[in-house]
Every structure is written in C-alpha cells, then in structure tokens.
Amino acid sequence: MNADQLIAEYGTLVYAATFLWTFFEGETFVIFAGAAAQQEKLAFLPLLLCAWFGSFAGDQLWFWLGRTQGKRLLAARPGWKPGVERAMAALERYDTWFILSFRFIYGVRNFASFAMGLARIAPLRFAALNFAAAFVWALSFAGFGYVFGHALESAFGDLAGYFHYVMLAVFAVVVGVMVMVGRAKPPAGPSAP
C-alpha cells in the first residue's frame, strides 16, 4: 500500500497523527501533509487545525511541567540544563518576541516552553501568545507544503510517497526510546538533609 492509498483509506488517522506529531515537533511532517492537501489527498483546514492545536497543546504541557515540576525534573535530568539555560537567556533578552518565535528555532521548542514555566511567566499570557504563535507556525509549514507541493513531489519523486512511512517509523522509534529510557531511570528519591 502506497501513501496515496494509506491516506485514502485512513484519512482521519492522518489528521490524528498530525496532532500527535506536532505535539512533539513536526515541521517536516506538516510540510509533507500540506503537500498532500495541495494534491487534494487531505483537506487543508482540518490539517491546519490539527497542526495548530497539536503544537499549542504540546507547548502548554511543557509549560505546565516546567511550572509545577520544573526544579525536580531539572535536578533529575541534568542533561536538560544547557537547553533550559539557553532558552532562559533568550527569554530574558527578548521576552515577548521569544515567546512568539521559539517554535521556529530548531532544537529549543520543548526546552523553551519548559523554561517559561520555570520562569513563572503568567499562565494566561503564555497561553495567549502560545496560541497565536502556534497558529502562525502551523499556517507557515502547512502553507509551505501546500504552495510548493508540486515542487516537493518533483524534487523527491517516488520518495515523497514513502516519506509518511519513514516519519511514522521514526516517530515509533523515538517514542520507544523515550519509554525505555523512562523505565530504565529510577525515579529520584527525596534528597538527604
């Protein structure tokens, strides 16, 4: 079964996958989904909404994790510290502009939302700015795929048809690794006085 048949048979699942994918990251997936919408294999508006709300929800979760569990999680995962520090420095320097643009900066999206929760940004302010920025992000990437769909298909040829499978496999591997790492690491106990 190729990607066209997969989309035709399981179209609603593609929208759910878009929501889940964008909950974590998903720029490339959204571009190719936008190209599929341009070829009328998907509907653009539901795709846009799923990408928008998936991106918004993912960043809200990271924000609340930073706000409610930030110090504990950072102590348990010291590898996060450099990313969080970079995000905090950018937030301190650029404030609102950073909140509006962090999702466009590769590699800092989740750390940025987490850092903003740690920084005690007002929840309603973050939610409003995050909501607007998630819309611009989703429209940008889905729109790029939609506008340049034919060019992407020409550039990648038959590979574009298999891209969805590759991205699904990568997603499954990433989730599997996250689950295994989470199970292998013992929870941090209370610190000794």
Side-chain angles (χ1 to χ4, degrees), residues 127-149:
L129 292 171
N130 183 33
F131 192 71
F135 173 74
V136 172
W137 177 89
L139 184 61
S140 298
F141 287 99
F144 180 87
Y146 189 87
V147 170
F148 295 103

Side-chain angles (χ1 to χ4, degrees), residues 5 31 33 111 117 120 166 169:
Q5 293 168 322
I31 289 171
F111 287 121
R120 310 302 286 178
V166 172

Side-chain angles (χ1 to χ4, degrees), residues 13-23 29-30 33 42 47 50-51 54:
L13 293 178
V14 174
Y15 299 116
T18 300
F19 178 88
L20 288 173
W21 200 275
T22 57
F23 188 89
F29 185 88
V30 174
L42 296 172
L47 169 68
C50 289

Side-chain angles (χ1 to χ4, degrees), residues 102-116:
F102 71 87
R103 66 183 15 91
F104 291 94
I105 305 167
Y106 183 77
V108 300
R109 177 178 162 192
N110 293 339
F111 287 121
S113 298
F114 184 83
M116 287 179 229

Side-chain angles (χ1 to χ4, degrees), residues 20-100:
L20 288 173
W21 200 275
T22 57
F23 188 89
F24 296 103
E25 285 284 343
E27 291 86 356
T28 309
F29 185 88
V30 174
I31 289 171
F32 277 91
Q38 188 271 334
Q39 296 164 14
E40 298 181 356
K41 297 171 188 170
L42 296 172
F44 185 77
L45 183 58
L47 169 68
L48 175 65
L49 292 173
C50 289
W52 178 10
F53 290 114
S55 179
F56 172 74
D59 291 321
Q60 287 300 123
L61 174 67
W62 280 106
F63 175 83
W64 282 104
L65 283 173
R67 190 167 182 85
T68 60
Q69 305 294 319
K71 290 180 182 177
R72 186 183 65 76
L73 287 171
L74 204 51
R77 291 170 175 77
W80 290 6
K81 191 173 182 180
V84 170
E85 286 175 348
R86 281 193 307 274
M88 292 287 252
L91 179 62
E92 188 174 306
R93 186 169 180 190
Y94 301 109
D95 192 50
T96 300
W97 286 111
F98 182 67
I99 297 170
L100 289 170

Side-chain angles (χ1 to χ4, degrees), residues 153-179:
E153 187 173 31
S154 297
F156 291 102
D158 291 337
L159 291 177
Y162 296 104
F163 179 78
H164 302 289
Y165 295 120
V166 172
M167 294 308 288
L168 183 60
V170 168
F171 181 70
V173 168
V174 168
V175 169
V177 168
M178 288 171 55
V179 167

